[in-house]
Amino acid sequence: MLRGIDVSSHQSSDFSTEGLSFVFVKATEGRSYINPKQSAQASRARNAGCVVGFYHFLWPGNLTAQAEYFVEKCASKKDDLLAVDWENTSEGTHASNAEKDRFIREVKRLRPGHRVLLYCNRAFWLNHDTTSYAGDGLWIADYVTAGKPRIKARWRIHQYTDRPLDKNVADFGSEAALRDWATS
């Protein structure tokens, strides 16, 4: 399995890329937040030869506007991965299944050359998701042994810890396989 991390404005733009094959960067949230470090964080990952992905933290409502905001404000380039982060907001709300699905479909429509993934934690996948729609792949958070999330669904990326930062593994046999998948 391949190793990767995900970063947001809470992390430095000078993170270690040693041993990493991929890095996801938080780009946007709702319709008003842009990670001010996203370009520098993505450049750091690109310069290290990592596959780069960007994610949007989803809020309920205005899904088309959120999708447009994400793809417009995201520092993505051709063949980067895109993802939606579906979990509870700071207000304790969350987008519905229909909203999550519509957001993924809208991002895929706006950026047809990109793979679009769903990020959620195990509890959301098991207790909130009713459609099992994850776009091009599921990125599951479950803090257990790397590569052993406690779900039955096929997953592409597993976030297995958040200490000292969010660490992930990708279910690909090689970096070339990940790049081929990202660009196909």
Side-chain angles (χ1 to χ4, degrees):
M1 282 194 227
L2 305 177
R3 292 183 37 215
I5 60 171
D6 59 277
V7 295
S8 69
S9 62
H10 297 290
Q11 285 79 40
S12 161
S13 298
D14 193 30
F15 52 85
S16 173
T17 57
E18 186 176 336
L20 299 181
S21 298
F22 63 96
V23 174
F24 273 89
V25 177
K26 180 176 183 178
T28 54
E29 181 172 334
R31 292 177 296 135
S32 61
Y33 175 79
I34 301 170
N35 173 3
K37 298 178 183 177
Q38 72 168 307
S39 291
Q41 290 170 329
S43 290
R44 175 114 178 125
R46 286 185 213 293
N47 291 340
C50 296
V51 171
V52 174
F54 291 90
Y55 70 93
H56 173 83
F57 188 97
L58 190 64
W59 279 70
N62 299 308
L63 281 298
T64 299
Q66 284 190 71
E68 290 170 349
Y69 186 75
F70 174 48
V71 299
E72 177 186 319
K73 303 299 183 185
C74 169
S76 69
K77 295 184 178 182
K78 185 180 182 305
D79 300 326
D80 285 346
L81 299 170
L82 302 176
V84 58
D85 180 346
W86 184 46
E87 57 186 289
N88 282 328
T89 67
S90 58
E91 295 177 358
T93 62
H94 63 269
S96 69
N97 277 272
E99 289 174 316
K100 174 259 302 177
D101 293 354
R102 193 170 40 171
F103 180 87
I104 293 169
R105 287 185 174 97
E106 185 64 14
V107 171
K108 287 182 69 58
R109 185 187 71 76
L110 293 167
R111 292 292 183 266
H114 293 266
R115 294 279 188 171
V116 182
L117 297 93
L118 169 67
Y119 167 92
C120 68
N121 63 41
R122 179 178 181 262
F124 255 68
W125 185 253
L126 296 177
N127 303 316
H128 294 292
D129 188 82
T130 58
T131 65
S132 298
Y133 182 64
D136 295 312
L138 178 60
W139 174 12
I140 192 76
D142 187 23
Y143 297 165
V144 294
T145 303
K148 306 276 187 204
R150 297 167 295 161
I151 60 169
K152 294 181 192 244
R154 177 166 163 63
W155 55 272
R156 287 293 188 170
I157 300 173
H158 173 211
Q159 183 185 89
Y160 62 92
T161 188
D162 63 355
R163 304 210 190 270
L165 72 161
D166 293 346
K167 293 182 180 180
N168 303 270
V169 291
D171 191 19
F172 291 89
S174 67
E175 240 177 77
L178 172 59
R179 279 188 199 290
D180 288 347
W181 180 77
T183 60
S184 62

